Amino acid sequence: MRLIVLLLLLLFIAGGVILGALNADLVGYDLAFVRIQVPKGAALLAVLALGWILGGLTAWLGVTTRHRRERRRAVKTRDAKAPKAP
């Protein structure tokens, strides 16, 4: 399993290097308060990484929120079923 993960990682690294090499020309971006010029490949990889991070964060928050809600509901149910002390 580790070998497959390592091979996939190397494959994606090689793809990133090739993407960067084939898109080496500079592209200018005007962000209203600053102008930057970066290679196309770097911009593509940065946006891909940003999307990956934001997607992972969204998935993590969704799962965490659902687990928290289920835990609260389980505690309420457990407390409601527990016998009351006189």
Side-chain angles (χ1 to χ4, degrees):
M1 185 68 176
R2 279 190 178 175
L3 180 62
I4 293 172
V5 170
L6 183 62
L7 288 174
L8 279 172
L9 181 63
L10 289 174
L11 179 71
F12 280 103
I13 289 172
V17 169
I18 291 170
L19 182 74
L22 292 175
N23 294 298
D25 49 331
L26 292 177
V27 176
Y29 293 98
D30 185 6
L31 303 175
F33 53 89
V34 66
R35 287 184 184 191
I36 57 173
Q37 286 195 334
V38 293
K40 265 197 264 184
L44 288 171
L45 289 175
V47 170
L48 177 70
L50 180 65
W52 182 71
I53 290 170
L54 290 176
L57 182 64
T58 302
W60 178 74
L61 286 173
V63 169
T64 304
T65 304
R66 184 177 53 129
H67 283 294
R68 197 176 308 134
R69 188 172 46 241
E70 288 173 358
R71 207 172 335 144
R72 262 191 308 233
R73 191 175 302 139
V75 168
K76 283 182 182 179
T77 304
R78 186 186 66 211
D79 290 345
K81 289 182 180 179
K84 305 270 181 178

